[in-house]
Amino acid sequence: MPASQTIAVTAAAAAAAITTTSVPSAEASTNAPATTATASATSATVTNGAINSGRHQLRPVKYDYADSFACTYIVSVVAASIAELATYPLDLTKTRLQIQGEAASVASTAPTNTRIGGSAKANMQYRGMVATAFGIVREEGALKLWQGVTPALYRHVVYSGVRICSYDLMRKELTANGSQALPVWKSALCGVTAGAVAQWLASPADLVKVQIQMEGKRRLMGEPPRVHGAAHAFRKIVQRGGVKGLWKGSIPNVQRAALVNLGDLTTYDTIKHLIMHRLQMPDCHTVHVLASICAGFVAAIMGTPADVVKTRIMNQPTDELGRGLLYRGSVDCLRQTVGKEGFVALYKGFLPCWIRMAPWSLTFWLSFEQIRKMIGASSY
């Protein structure tokens, strides 16, 4: 075939192919969207190759990691440690206030007058939050406001991590994706369960913390020191009461934690979604602040009576077998406290408890939400 004819045939074939491609049939037009989508996806995959593949693989991995159980646990512990360090002096003041007026303090005050002077009782028995705090600074030193903070931080390694993660897991099980607001009764059930489980696991660290917090006052009153540090307190508790002695006061402790988390977790979760839904506000710091303030107030109201009982049981002297010398249990402590000092005694330390819980809750939730946002996790 001559060269000119060959070129003509090739040109005609090319024109036919172009016409067929650019002018599809009716049937092809009907299936155009699906065909185009498939072609686009295939083209994108082929064209961008490893880049697109890498993106589709990295994004889910990053999101899953930030929202994973381990990451949520670590973030909650870090946020709780920040809040604990910032508000711990109020916790120490609250503990000292809750001990005032009980039989142990009254009994230990009598020999004090003969040992360190007749004014000792007046100096030891503070009357309010401010006087108690200034008395600690004046008589023991400013750094004593953080006495016992080490076991408090140990406690949050267990307590805060377990309570936040367990509440999150239960919430996700009860909702489609965990981002929806739970009904109040379901949120309350989750909060009580999470708080009780977390506190039972962390009760030994709480026991050590309470005993260390009272050492400064005992030494000023002329009493011999019971413990010299967290490790010594831990060993002494085990020696006197065995391993189960580490859970002395755990029942009121668990009761308190259940009520506190009923106020904290449930209130924060409910108020946060309520504000965002009713006021049409985005998930921002303003919402976190408002929800945290409400959570701290409700938690203080719910948890202070159980906190008083817990503190007194943990601080009471024990015999050689680790049995309490003042109270037989939480019910007996509650009965004696109300019978001897009145119902108002159950709210001893309420003001510092509330003043502490409000900034603690605020600091914790702001730190928690901000850290999650920084690592790319979803909003809690």
Side-chain angles (χ1 to χ4, degrees), residues 300-372:
I301 292 177
M302 299 291 292
T304 299
D307 193 40
V308 171
V309 173
K310 179 265 299 185
T311 300
R312 292 189 171 195
I313 288 180
M314 286 186 166
N315 186 66
Q316 69 173 325
T318 58
D319 58 17
E320 293 300 326
L321 298 177
R323 295 175 298 192
L325 299 178
L326 297 177
Y327 312 112
R328 294 189 298 271
S330 58
V331 176
D332 182 51
C333 180
L334 178 67
R335 181 182 57 81
Q336 289 193 42
T337 301
V338 175
K340 296 178 181 179
E341 304 170 51
F343 180 79
V344 180
L346 293 176
Y347 279 89
K348 279 189 173 183
F350 172 77
L351 185 58
C353 187
W354 175 40
I355 292 176
R356 178 183 184 256
M357 280 190 176
W360 194 97
S361 183
L362 176 63
T363 306
F364 172 78
W365 287 113
L366 283 178
S367 302
F368 183 73
E369 298 272 18
Q370 185 61 34
I371 295 173
R372 286 175 63 86

Side-chain angles (χ1 to χ4, degrees), residues 81 83-89 91-92 143-156 208-209 212-213 230 356:
S81 300
E84 190 70 21
L85 288 171
T87 62
Y88 188 79
D91 183 61
L92 179 65
L143 291 179
K144 291 298 182 180
L145 289 172
W146 278 269
Q147 187 172 23
V149 72
T150 302
L153 295 177
Y154 293 159
R155 169 181 177 265
H156 281 292
V208 172
K209 182 194 76 170
I212 291 178
Q213 283 179 333
R356 178 183 184 256

Side-chain angles (χ1 to χ4, degrees), residues 190-324:
C190 293
V192 167
T193 304
V197 172
Q199 185 55 64
W200 189 84
L201 293 173
S203 192
D206 213 16
L207 176 61
V208 172
K209 182 194 76 170
V210 169
Q211 294 199 357
I212 291 178
Q213 283 179 333
M214 296 307 301
E215 279 306 300
K217 184 176 179 180
R218 285 177 54 84
R219 294 176 187 181
L220 281 177
M221 294 170 67
E223 296 290 330
R226 290 185 300 187
V227 296
H228 302 285
H232 180 249
F234 184 88
R235 291 196 302 269
K236 189 172 181 180
I237 293 169
V238 173
Q239 288 173 359
R240 293 178 67 90
V243 176
K244 68 178 182 179
L246 293 170
W247 274 266
K248 184 181 75 170
S250 61
I251 294 178
N253 215 2
V254 168
Q255 293 169 345
R256 171 193 172 273
L259 293 172
V260 166
N261 283 277
L262 173 63
D264 185 29
L265 287 174
T266 302
T267 303
Y268 182 83
D269 194 20
T270 303
I271 295 296
K272 176 184 174 181
H273 286 90
L274 186 65
I275 292 174
M276 293 173 61
H277 176 70
R278 294 292 179 87
L279 302 181
Q280 299 297 316
M281 294 181 66
D283 188 7
C284 59
H285 289 325
T286 302
V287 175
H288 301 161
V289 169
L290 294 175
S292 299
I293 292 174
C294 294
F297 180 70
V298 176
I301 292 177
M302 299 291 292
T304 299
D307 193 40
V308 171
V309 173
K310 179 265 299 185
T311 300
R312 292 189 171 195
I313 288 180
M314 286 186 166
N315 186 66
Q316 69 173 325
T318 58
D319 58 17
E320 293 300 326
L321 298 177
R323 295 175 298 192

Side-chain angles (χ1 to χ4, degrees), residues 15 20 28 40 60 63 84 86 103 115 121 131 138 143 157 204 215 218 312 317 347 362 378:
T20 305
S40 299
Y63 178 84
E84 190 70 21
R115 274 190 288 242
K121 182 175 180 178
R138 182 177 62 253
L143 291 179
V157 171
E215 279 306 300
R218 285 177 54 84
R312 292 189 171 195
Y347 279 89
L362 176 63
S378 60

